[in-house]
Amino acid sequence: MIDLRSDTVTLPTPAMREAMARAEVGDDVYGEDPTINKLQEMAAERLGKEAAIFVPSGTMGNAISVLAHAGRGEAVMVGNQSHIYRYEVGGASTLGGSPMYVLPTQDNGMLDLYQVEIGISDGSDEHSAPTALLCIENTHNRCGGAVLNVEQVEALSKLAHAHNVAVHMDGARVFNAAVALGIPVSTLVSSVDSVMFCLSKGLSAPVGSIVVGSRAFIHKAHRMRKLLGGGMRQAGVLAAAGIVALEQMVDRLAEDHENSKRLAYGLADFPQIDIDPSRVVTDIVNFSVQNAQQETLSEAETLRFLEKTQANGVLMGTMGEGTIRAVTHYGVTSDDVDKALIGIRKALIEMHI
Ligand SMILES: Cc1ncc(COP(=O)(O)O)c(C=O)c1O
Protein backbone atom coordinates (compact mmCIF):
# COMPACT_ATOMS: atom_id res chain seq x y z
CA MET A 1 0.00 0.00 0.00
CA ILE A 2 1.35 3.44 -0.92
CA ASP A 3 0.01 5.78 1.75
CA LEU A 4 -0.32 9.33 0.43
CA ARG A 5 -3.03 10.46 2.87
CA SER A 6 -0.72 12.73 4.82
CA ASP A 7 2.87 13.43 5.83
CA THR A 8 1.70 12.62 9.38
CA VAL A 9 1.86 8.90 8.56
CA THR A 10 5.67 9.02 8.48
CA LEU A 11 7.38 6.55 10.80
CA PRO A 12 10.36 7.49 13.00
CA THR A 13 13.71 6.77 11.37
CA PRO A 14 16.14 4.18 12.83
CA ALA A 15 18.32 7.10 14.02
CA MET A 16 15.30 8.54 15.86
CA ARG A 17 14.50 5.24 17.57
CA GLU A 18 18.10 4.93 18.69
CA ALA A 19 18.21 8.52 19.98
CA MET A 20 14.91 7.95 21.82
CA ALA A 21 16.28 4.86 23.55
CA ARG A 22 19.41 6.73 24.67
CA ALA A 23 17.76 10.05 25.60
CA GLU A 24 18.69 11.67 28.90
CA VAL A 25 15.46 12.78 30.57
CA GLY A 26 14.13 14.75 33.53
CA ASP A 27 10.92 16.45 34.64
CA ASP A 28 10.18 19.04 31.96
CA VAL A 29 7.48 20.81 33.98
CA TYR A 30 10.40 21.72 36.30
CA GLY A 31 12.42 22.61 33.17
CA GLU A 32 14.78 19.73 33.98
CA ASP A 33 14.67 17.58 30.87
CA PRO A 34 18.06 18.12 29.18
CA THR A 35 16.92 16.67 25.85
CA ILE A 36 13.85 18.92 25.67
CA ASN A 37 15.98 21.91 26.68
CA LYS A 38 18.43 21.10 23.89
CA LEU A 39 15.64 20.72 21.31
CA GLN A 40 14.08 24.04 22.38
CA GLU A 41 17.43 25.85 22.14
CA MET A 42 18.10 24.34 18.72
CA ALA A 43 14.64 25.29 17.47
CA ALA A 44 14.82 28.87 18.73
CA GLU A 45 18.22 29.33 17.14
CA ARG A 46 17.17 27.73 13.85
CA LEU A 47 14.13 30.00 13.55
CA GLY A 48 15.99 33.08 14.78
CA LYS A 49 13.76 33.68 17.81
CA GLU A 50 14.65 34.13 21.49
CA ALA A 51 12.95 31.07 22.92
CA ALA A 52 10.95 27.93 22.17
CA ILE A 53 8.58 25.51 23.86
CA PHE A 54 8.00 21.84 23.02
CA VAL A 55 4.31 20.92 22.82
CA PRO A 56 2.41 17.68 22.13
CA SER A 57 0.77 18.69 18.83
CA GLY A 58 0.40 21.40 16.21
CA THR A 59 -3.15 22.03 17.28
CA MET A 60 -2.07 22.65 20.86
CA GLY A 61 0.83 24.81 19.66
CA ASN A 62 -1.56 27.03 17.72
CA ALA A 63 -4.02 27.18 20.64
CA ILE A 64 -1.23 28.10 23.06
CA SER A 65 -0.03 30.82 20.70
CA VAL A 66 -3.48 32.32 20.19
CA LEU A 67 -4.19 32.27 23.93
CA ALA A 68 -0.81 33.84 24.71
CA HIS A 69 -1.27 36.65 22.14
CA ALA A 70 -4.98 37.45 22.50
CA GLY A 71 -6.95 37.94 25.69
CA ARG A 72 -10.61 37.13 26.18
CA GLY A 73 -12.73 39.40 23.95
CA GLU A 74 -9.81 40.32 21.68
CA ALA A 75 -10.26 39.32 18.05
CA VAL A 76 -8.07 36.95 16.07
CA MET A 77 -7.94 37.31 12.26
CA VAL A 78 -7.81 34.08 10.28
CA GLY A 79 -8.24 32.95 6.69
CA ASN A 80 -11.37 30.95 5.87
CA GLN A 81 -9.22 28.10 4.54
CA SER A 82 -6.80 28.11 7.46
CA HIS A 83 -6.19 25.07 9.62
CA ILE A 84 -6.76 27.18 12.74
CA TYR A 85 -10.23 28.13 11.51
CA ARG A 86 -11.33 24.87 9.89
CA TYR A 87 -9.71 22.03 11.78
CA GLU A 88 -8.89 23.06 15.33
CA VAL A 89 -12.35 22.86 16.88
CA GLY A 90 -12.59 26.64 17.15
CA GLY A 91 -10.00 26.68 19.95
CA ALA A 92 -9.32 30.42 19.71
CA SER A 93 -12.98 31.12 20.50
CA THR A 94 -13.95 28.13 22.62
CA LEU A 95 -10.83 28.09 24.77
CA GLY A 96 -9.61 31.65 24.53
CA GLY A 97 -12.86 33.61 24.27
CA SER A 98 -11.48 35.34 21.18
CA PRO A 99 -13.92 35.97 18.33
CA MET A 100 -12.43 34.88 15.02
CA TYR A 101 -12.58 37.53 12.28
CA VAL A 102 -12.59 35.48 9.09
CA LEU A 103 -11.16 36.68 5.78
CA PRO A 104 -11.20 34.83 2.46
CA THR A 105 -7.96 32.94 1.87
CA GLN A 106 -6.69 33.47 -1.68
CA ASP A 107 -5.83 30.42 -3.81
CA ASN A 108 -2.12 31.00 -3.18
CA GLY A 109 -2.56 30.95 0.60
CA MET A 110 -2.27 34.75 0.87
CA LEU A 111 -4.66 37.17 2.57
CA ASP A 112 -5.63 40.38 0.80
CA LEU A 113 -3.80 43.30 2.42
CA TYR A 114 -6.70 45.71 1.97
CA GLN A 115 -9.14 43.28 3.58
CA VAL A 116 -6.74 42.75 6.48
CA GLU A 117 -6.41 46.48 6.94
CA ILE A 118 -10.13 47.24 6.91
CA GLY A 119 -10.81 44.24 9.13
CA ILE A 120 -8.52 45.39 11.92
CA SER A 121 -10.33 47.07 14.79
CA ASP A 122 -8.37 49.33 17.13
CA GLY A 123 -11.04 49.11 19.79
CA SER A 124 -12.07 52.77 19.52
CA ASP A 125 -15.55 51.67 18.43
CA GLU A 126 -17.16 50.01 21.43
CA HIS A 127 -19.23 47.76 19.14
CA SER A 128 -16.30 45.72 17.88
CA ALA A 129 -13.71 43.52 19.53
CA PRO A 130 -10.21 45.02 19.25
CA THR A 131 -7.93 42.97 17.02
CA ALA A 132 -4.97 41.40 18.84
CA LEU A 133 -3.64 38.83 16.38
CA LEU A 134 -3.34 37.95 12.71
CA CYS A 135 -2.76 34.25 11.93
CA ILE A 136 -1.12 33.19 8.68
CA GLU A 137 -0.32 29.69 7.40
CA ASN A 138 2.87 28.66 5.57
CA THR A 139 2.85 26.31 3.75
CA HIS A 140 -0.89 26.39 3.28
CA ASN A 141 -2.51 22.99 3.71
CA ARG A 142 -5.87 23.53 1.99
CA CYS A 143 -4.23 25.61 -0.75
CA GLY A 144 -2.24 22.56 -1.87
CA GLY A 145 0.96 23.28 0.05
CA ALA A 146 1.23 26.81 -1.38
CA VAL A 147 4.18 28.84 -0.13
CA LEU A 148 4.10 32.44 1.07
CA ASN A 149 7.43 34.07 0.21
CA VAL A 150 9.39 36.51 2.37
CA GLU A 151 7.83 39.57 0.71
CA GLN A 152 4.30 38.31 1.30
CA VAL A 153 4.99 37.44 4.94
CA GLU A 154 6.69 40.79 5.50
CA ALA A 155 3.86 42.73 3.88
CA LEU A 156 1.31 41.09 6.19
CA SER A 157 3.52 41.56 9.27
CA LYS A 158 4.27 45.19 8.48
CA LEU A 159 0.60 45.97 8.07
CA ALA A 160 -0.42 44.15 11.26
CA HIS A 161 2.38 45.69 13.30
CA ALA A 162 1.47 49.17 12.09
CA HIS A 163 -1.85 48.58 13.89
CA ASN A 164 -0.28 46.98 17.00
CA VAL A 165 -1.55 43.57 15.93
CA ALA A 166 0.76 40.58 16.53
CA VAL A 167 1.37 37.95 13.83
CA HIS A 168 1.40 34.20 14.43
CA MET A 169 2.46 31.80 11.70
CA ASP A 170 0.94 28.34 11.64
CA GLY A 171 4.10 26.91 10.16
CA ALA A 172 3.19 23.25 10.58
CA ARG A 173 5.18 22.80 7.35
CA VAL A 174 7.35 25.93 7.44
CA PHE A 175 10.48 23.90 6.68
CA ASN A 176 8.83 22.74 3.45
CA ALA A 177 8.30 26.42 2.61
CA ALA A 178 11.91 27.35 3.36
CA VAL A 179 13.27 24.40 1.39
CA ALA A 180 11.01 25.22 -1.58
CA LEU A 181 12.19 28.85 -1.52
CA GLY A 182 15.82 27.83 -0.97
CA ILE A 183 16.24 30.21 1.98
CA PRO A 184 16.96 29.78 5.70
CA VAL A 185 13.77 29.31 7.68
CA SER A 186 14.87 32.18 9.98
CA THR A 187 14.72 34.59 7.03
CA LEU A 188 11.21 33.48 6.17
CA VAL A 189 9.86 33.98 9.69
CA SER A 190 11.92 36.97 10.80
CA SER A 191 9.00 39.43 10.61
CA VAL A 192 6.42 37.37 12.53
CA ASP A 193 6.06 37.30 16.32
CA SER A 194 5.55 33.58 16.79
CA VAL A 195 5.70 30.38 14.77
CA MET A 196 4.38 26.91 15.44
CA PHE A 197 6.02 24.12 13.46
CA CYS A 198 5.46 20.37 13.51
CA LEU A 199 8.17 17.77 14.01
CA SER A 200 5.66 15.00 13.33
CA LYS A 201 4.81 15.70 9.69
CA GLY A 202 7.41 15.69 6.88
CA LEU A 203 10.20 15.78 9.47
CA SER A 204 9.04 12.29 10.54
CA ALA A 205 9.28 12.49 14.33
CA PRO A 206 6.57 10.43 16.03
CA VAL A 207 5.16 13.23 18.22
CA GLY A 208 5.54 16.91 18.86
CA SER A 209 5.54 20.49 17.70
CA ILE A 210 7.44 23.59 18.72
CA VAL A 211 6.34 27.17 19.29
CA VAL A 212 8.98 29.90 19.02
CA GLY A 213 8.86 33.59 19.86
CA SER A 214 10.22 36.20 22.24
CA ARG A 215 11.27 35.16 25.74
CA ALA A 216 8.27 36.99 27.24
CA PHE A 217 5.87 35.31 24.81
CA ILE A 218 7.27 31.83 25.52
CA HIS A 219 6.97 32.54 29.25
CA LYS A 220 3.22 33.10 28.70
CA ALA A 221 3.09 30.06 26.42
CA HIS A 222 4.32 27.91 29.33
CA ARG A 223 1.30 28.99 31.37
CA MET A 224 -1.07 28.30 28.48
CA ARG A 225 0.48 24.87 27.88
CA LYS A 226 -0.14 24.06 31.57
CA LEU A 227 -3.72 25.32 31.25
CA LEU A 228 -4.34 22.97 28.34
CA GLY A 229 -2.78 20.02 30.12
CA GLY A 230 0.18 19.89 27.74
CA GLY A 231 2.94 19.95 30.35
CA MET A 232 4.77 16.66 29.88
CA ARG A 233 7.30 15.12 32.23
CA GLN A 234 10.13 12.86 30.95
CA ALA A 235 9.24 13.68 27.36
CA GLY A 236 12.90 13.89 26.36
CA VAL A 237 12.33 10.48 24.77
CA LEU A 238 10.11 12.33 22.27
CA ALA A 239 12.31 15.41 21.98
CA ALA A 240 15.26 13.15 21.09
CA ALA A 241 13.44 12.23 17.87
CA GLY A 242 12.77 15.94 17.29
CA ILE A 243 16.49 16.70 17.49
CA VAL A 244 17.18 14.06 14.84
CA ALA A 245 14.34 15.55 12.77
CA LEU A 246 15.95 18.99 12.80
CA GLU A 247 19.45 17.66 12.19
CA GLN A 248 18.74 15.06 9.52
CA MET A 249 15.30 15.44 8.00
CA VAL A 250 15.04 19.04 6.77
CA ASP A 251 17.14 19.01 3.61
CA ARG A 252 15.57 15.79 2.38
CA LEU A 253 12.16 17.52 2.13
CA ALA A 254 13.36 18.56 -1.35
CA GLU A 255 13.02 14.89 -2.33
CA ASP A 256 9.35 14.93 -1.27
CA HIS A 257 8.81 18.08 -3.34
CA GLU A 258 10.37 16.40 -6.41
CA ASN A 259 8.15 13.37 -5.88
CA SER A 260 5.00 15.46 -5.53
CA LYS A 261 5.81 17.26 -8.80
CA ARG A 262 6.39 13.88 -10.46
CA LEU A 263 2.98 12.78 -9.19
CA ALA A 264 1.30 16.03 -10.28
CA TYR A 265 2.70 15.97 -13.82
CA GLY A 266 1.80 12.27 -14.09
CA LEU A 267 -1.77 13.01 -12.98
CA ALA A 268 -2.02 15.87 -15.48
CA ASP A 269 -1.63 13.29 -18.27
CA PHE A 270 -4.96 11.67 -17.32
CA PRO A 271 -7.82 13.48 -19.11
CA GLN A 272 -10.21 12.85 -16.19
CA ILE A 273 -7.98 14.64 -13.71
CA ASP A 274 -8.17 18.36 -13.10
CA ILE A 275 -4.87 19.67 -11.79
CA ASP A 276 -2.46 22.53 -12.45
CA PRO A 277 0.88 20.82 -11.81
CA SER A 278 2.78 24.12 -11.96
CA ARG A 279 1.14 25.03 -8.64
CA VAL A 280 2.60 22.01 -6.86
CA VAL A 281 5.71 23.33 -5.10
CA THR A 282 5.94 21.38 -1.83
CA ASP A 283 4.73 17.97 -0.67
CA ILE A 284 0.96 18.39 -1.16
CA VAL A 285 -0.87 17.58 -4.39
CA ASN A 286 -4.52 18.63 -4.61
CA PHE A 287 -6.62 17.57 -7.58
CA SER A 288 -10.12 16.60 -8.57
CA VAL A 289 -11.60 13.99 -10.88
CA GLN A 290 -14.09 14.81 -13.61
CA ASN A 291 -16.75 12.62 -15.17
CA ALA A 292 -17.47 12.30 -18.90
CA GLN A 293 -19.52 15.53 -18.74
CA GLN A 294 -16.43 17.26 -17.30
CA GLU A 295 -18.15 17.82 -13.97
CA THR A 296 -16.19 17.36 -10.77
CA LEU A 297 -17.18 14.14 -9.02
CA SER A 298 -19.62 14.54 -6.15
CA GLU A 299 -18.32 13.81 -2.67
CA ALA A 300 -19.98 10.35 -2.75
CA GLU A 301 -18.39 9.55 -6.13
CA THR A 302 -15.05 10.87 -4.89
CA LEU A 303 -15.22 8.49 -1.94
CA ARG A 304 -16.02 5.62 -4.33
CA PHE A 305 -13.00 6.61 -6.44
CA LEU A 306 -10.80 6.62 -3.32
CA GLU A 307 -12.06 3.13 -2.42
CA LYS A 308 -10.98 2.00 -5.88
CA THR A 309 -7.54 3.60 -5.60
CA GLN A 310 -7.17 1.88 -2.23
CA ALA A 311 -8.10 -1.46 -3.81
CA ASN A 312 -5.31 -0.70 -6.31
CA GLY A 313 -2.77 0.00 -3.59
CA VAL A 314 -2.99 3.80 -3.21
CA LEU A 315 -4.36 5.62 -0.16
CA MET A 316 -5.31 9.29 -0.54
CA GLY A 317 -7.67 11.64 1.31
CA THR A 318 -10.54 13.96 0.50
CA MET A 319 -10.56 17.66 1.36
CA GLY A 320 -14.27 17.98 0.58
CA GLU A 321 -16.05 19.46 -2.46
CA GLY A 322 -14.45 16.86 -4.74
CA THR A 323 -10.86 17.82 -3.90
CA ILE A 324 -8.49 14.91 -3.32
CA ARG A 325 -5.21 15.35 -1.45
CA ALA A 326 -2.07 13.26 -1.93
CA VAL A 327 1.02 14.01 0.15
CA THR A 328 4.54 12.73 -0.48
CA HIS A 329 6.83 12.05 2.46
CA TYR A 330 9.74 10.09 3.91
CA GLY A 331 9.18 6.46 2.96
CA VAL A 332 7.60 7.28 -0.44
CA THR A 333 10.10 6.90 -3.30
CA SER A 334 9.90 8.02 -6.92
CA ASP A 335 9.20 4.36 -7.81
CA ASP A 336 6.26 4.46 -5.40
CA VAL A 337 4.97 7.56 -7.19
CA ASP A 338 5.10 5.70 -10.51
CA LYS A 339 3.29 2.74 -8.95
CA ALA A 340 0.70 5.10 -7.45
CA LEU A 341 0.06 6.59 -10.91
CA ILE A 342 -0.58 3.08 -12.26
CA GLY A 343 -2.99 2.36 -9.37
CA ILE A 344 -4.83 5.64 -9.95
CA ARG A 345 -5.11 4.91 -13.69
CA LYS A 346 -6.64 1.51 -12.92
CA ALA A 347 -9.12 3.14 -10.52
CA LEU A 348 -10.15 5.66 -13.22
CA ILE A 349 -10.74 2.80 -15.67
CA GLU A 350 -12.82 0.92 -13.07
CA MET A 351 -14.93 4.07 -12.51
CA HIS A 352 -15.83 4.01 -16.27
CA ILE A 353 -15.24 7.75 -16.57
C1 LIG B 1 -1.38 23.65 8.61
C2 LIG B 1 -1.58 22.79 9.82
N1 LIG B 1 -1.58 23.36 11.02
C3 LIG B 1 -1.73 22.64 12.15
C4 LIG B 1 -1.90 21.28 12.10
C5 LIG B 1 -2.15 20.53 13.38
O1 LIG B 1 -1.16 19.63 13.71
P1 LIG B 1 -1.46 18.38 14.67
O2 LIG B 1 -2.08 17.33 13.81
O3 LIG B 1 -0.10 18.00 15.19
O4 LIG B 1 -2.36 18.83 15.75
C6 LIG B 1 -1.92 20.64 10.86
C7 LIG B 1 -2.13 19.18 10.80
O5 LIG B 1 -2.35 18.59 9.77
C8 LIG B 1 -1.75 21.41 9.69
O6 LIG B 1 -1.79 20.86 8.46
Side-chain angles (χ1 to χ4, degrees):
M1 190 63 72
I2 299 164
D3 192 345
L4 302 176
R5 285 172 303 168
S6 176
D7 46 8
T8 57
V9 302
T10 41
L11 300 176
T13 66
M16 286 178 186
R17 288 181 185 272
E18 203 184 311
M20 292 171 80
R22 279 190 286 104
E24 256 189 84
V25 296
D27 189 328
D28 181 51
V29 174
Y30 290 121
E32 290 173 3
D33 187 302
T35 310
I36 292 183
N37 291 341
K38 180 175 170 195
L39 172 63
Q40 290 174 166
E41 279 161 31
M42 275 177 73
E45 194 188 332
R46 191 76 174 258
L47 278 89
K49 302 292 181 199
E50 284 176 3
I53 181 171
F54 183 54
V55 298
S57 69
T59 301
M60 190 186 286
N62 281 333
I64 285 169
S65 303
V66 170
L67 265 61
H69 280 298
R72 186 168 185 80
E74 291 181 332
V76 173
M77 284 189 138
V78 292
N80 66 348
Q81 300 299 331
S82 67
H83 199 276
I84 289 180
Y85 180 57
R86 304 213 26 153
Y87 300 128
E88 299 186 7
V89 209
S93 307
T94 54
L95 299 167
S98 283
M100 286 199 250
Y101 185 96
V102 187
L103 298 162
T105 306
Q106 297 176 344
D107 286 350
N108 62 358
M110 185 63 178
L111 299 171
D112 179 71
L113 292 171
Y114 175 69
Q115 289 191 356
V116 171
E117 180 147 38
I118 59 169
I120 291 175
S121 162
D122 64 5
S124 56
D125 176 350
E126 75 266 27
H127 297 89
S128 52
T131 311
L133 181 65
L134 170 67
C135 295
I136 60 177
E137 187 171 316
N138 203 13
T139 65
H140 203 292
N141 181 10
R142 281 188 62 83
C143 295
V147 174
L148 296 181
N149 62 30
V150 179
E151 292 72 29
Q152 289 170 310
V153 175
E154 283 183 357
L156 288 162
S157 298
K158 198 171 157 199
L159 175 58
H161 291 156
H163 295 274
N164 290 321
V165 171
V167 181
H168 171 67
M169 183 187 286
D170 174 352
R173 298 181 181 82
V174 74
F175 283 98
N176 293 85
V179 166
L181 292 167
I183 59 173
V185 69
S186 55
T187 306
L188 186 56
V189 305
S190 69
S191 64
V192 304
D193 301 282
S194 59
V195 185
M196 182 286 292
F197 72 89
C198 293
L199 295 160
S200 59
K201 297 198 163 66
L203 300 183
S204 307
V207 181
S209 294
I210 300 265
V211 177
V212 298
S214 71
R215 225 174 285 291
F217 170 79
I218 295 299
H219 181 70
K220 273 195 202 166
H222 271 273
R223 199 163 54 233
M224 296 308 154
R225 186 181 70 175
K226 198 74 191 116
L227 173 70
L228 299 178
M232 298 182 285
R233 303 291 177 174
Q234 287 74 23
V237 287
L238 303 175
I243 291 172
V244 175
L246 285 181
E247 284 175 343
Q248 299 181 8
M249 302 300 282
V250 172
D251 293 342
R252 65 151 304 287
L253 293 173
E255 224 177 280
D256 299 339
H257 300 174
E258 283 313 305
N259 284 335
S260 65
K261 287 174 198 164
R262 186 182 185 92
L263 179 65
Y265 280 94
L267 288 170
D269 284 340
F270 302 141
Q272 304 95 325
I273 288 193
D274 186 17
I275 185 170
D276 177 356
S278 68
R279 290 187 49 195
V280 174
V281 288
T282 59
D283 58 341
I284 299 179
V285 181
N286 279 356
F287 64 96
S288 59
V289 180
Q290 296 189 332
N291 61 22
Q293 289 74 43
Q294 301 207 314
E295 297 157 346
T296 300
L297 296 190
S298 68
E299 197 51 23
E301 286 171 319
T302 301
L303 291 174
R304 203 161 67 81
F305 171 68
L306 290 176
E307 277 167 21
K308 293 204 181 295
T309 64
Q310 180 170 358
N312 285 290
V314 189
L315 277 172
M316 296 180 290
T318 166
M319 302 290 276
E321 295 152 36
T323 300
I324 293 167
R325 187 182 77 157
V327 189
T328 55
H329 52 78
Y330 170 70
V332 173
T333 63
S334 59
D335 273 359
D336 291 330
V337 169
D338 294 343
K339 285 186 199 141
L341 285 165
I342 293 169
I344 292 167
R345 187 159 63 92
K346 285 186 183 158
L348 288 170
I349 292 167
E350 289 169 14
M351 290 287 285
H352 306 292
I353 50 174

